[in-house]
Amino acid sequence: MTLRGKVVVNRCMSLDGFIAGPGHAMDWGNGRALADFVAPDDIAEIAAATGAMLVGRRTWEVGDRMEAEEPGSVDYPFSGPMFLLSHRPLEPPDPAVTILTGDIGDAVATALDAAGDKNLEILGADVAGQCLQRGLVDEILVYVLPVLLGDGIPFSSPGLTRTDLEPISSTRSGDATILRFRVRKESGPTVD
Ligand SMILES: NC(=O)c1ccc[n+]([C@@H]2O[C@H](COP(=O)([O-])OP(=O)(O)OC[C@H]3O[C@@H](n4cnc5c(N)ncnc54)[C@H](OP(=O)(O)O)[C@@H]3O)[C@@H](O)[C@H]2O)c1
């Protein structure tokens, strides 16, 4: 039997449930990046368990903007296969990135295959919402950061149906709290 990794929605989030501030600002306080809040060993362990990433185009563009404004601010110790969900090519093209488009189930299957026996990380609110809606997500990992943003991009996209979760763990890591949940497939959303 071929072992497959898990599909993991991976997010950092303010205590009041925002994954970015107004205008997609990723300002968690005093210019600190996610890596400044979480214990380096925990980031390294999560990255080492990741075999591929599936990223939404808006997340990609926010990451590009952050990198341009502050080089190194989105660094992550991961160098495996990278898949970008988009209807548009990258300008300039990046041979290290595979652009996928169309059915989210096909995109997840392709990226999960590339991840081998490691996990597939899903990045992007809209993309994660599509995956949850189709019952494709195994786990949700949230870095809860010590800030109330008051406004911004909420964890759930509008229209997401109820999804029941099973707690796996809750760990203090540096100034963050890492929460892990398993998605209960039997009571989760149905596949279209
Ligand atoms: N806190 C965190 O850990 C975290 C993590 C990730 C993202 N974020 C934040 O979340 C926000 C981005 O999320 P988002 O929901 O706005 O967007 P997103 O999920 O990153 O990207 C959505 C875009 O991806 C493309 N796309 C999605 N599904 C597709 C499909 N099936 N086929 C082809 N293309 C598809 C479309 O772009 P095109 O049609 O334009 O190509 C769509 O507009 C940003 O503010 C980002 O900073 C936060």
Side-chain angles (χ1 to χ4, degrees), residues 2-68:
T2 314
L3 280 180
R4 86 156 176 85
K6 291 171 285 192
V7 177
V8 181
V9 165
N10 185 319
R11 296 277 175 80
C12 61
M13 186 184 81
S14 66
L15 181 60
D16 54 347
F18 295 104
I19 62 164
H24 301 283
M26 299 284 275
D27 177 5
W28 307 108
N30 299 321
R32 293 168 78 190
L34 172 64
D36 297 328
F37 286 91
V38 183
D41 286 356
D42 289 327
I43 294 258
E45 188 185 322
I46 291 163
T50 300
M53 288 188 155
L54 179 61
V55 186
R57 183 64 184 252
R58 207 164 304 126
T59 297
W60 191 273
E61 288 172 351
V62 169
D64 274 354
R65 189 183 75 196
M66 290 168 66
E67 180 62 25

Side-chain angles (χ1 to χ4, degrees), residues 10-13 19-20 24 26 28 56-60 62 85-88 100-104 123-128 130 153 157:
N10 185 319
R11 296 277 175 80
C12 61
M13 186 184 81
I19 62 164
H24 301 283
M26 299 284 275
W28 307 108
R57 183 64 184 252
R58 207 164 304 126
T59 297
W60 191 273
V62 169
L85 258 177
S86 185
H87 299 97
R88 298 169 285 134
L100 300 175
T101 192
D103 181 68
I104 191 70
L123 294 181
D126 171 76
V127 169
Q130 291 182 56
I153 312 295
S157 314

Side-chain angles (χ1 to χ4, degrees), residues 74-153:
V74 289
D75 282 0
Y76 187 56
F78 172 79
S79 58
M82 192 71 92
F83 296 88
L84 173 62
L85 258 177
S86 185
H87 299 97
R88 298 169 285 134
L90 277 176
E91 296 292 349
D94 183 341
V97 178
T98 304
I99 296 189
L100 300 175
T101 192
D103 181 68
I104 191 70
D106 291 345
V108 167
T110 300
L112 193 55
D113 195 42
D117 59 358
K118 293 190 173 185
N119 296 337
L120 170 63
E121 258 187 38
I122 307 286
L123 294 181
D126 171 76
V127 169
Q130 291 182 56
C131 292
L132 284 163
Q133 201 71 27
R134 287 277 297 271
L136 299 169
V137 179
D138 297 305
E139 287 184 13
I140 297 176
L141 186 159
V142 184
Y143 305 95
V144 181
L145 302 182
V147 60
L148 300 170
L149 288 181
D151 194 6
I153 312 295

Side-chain angles (χ1 to χ4, degrees), residues 143-190:
Y143 305 95
V144 181
L145 302 182
V147 60
L148 300 170
L149 288 181
D151 194 6
I153 312 295
F155 184 94
S156 288
S157 314
L160 183 66
T161 49
R162 177 193 168 111
T163 303
D164 290 310
L165 307 173
E166 179 187 338
I168 299 173
S169 63
S170 160
T171 317
R172 174 77 186 267
S173 175
D175 287 342
T177 305
I178 303 178
L179 305 178
R180 291 174 191 260
F181 298 90
R182 192 169 293 117
V183 176
R184 289 186 191 274
K185 302 275 169 113
E186 68 276 15
S187 60
T190 49

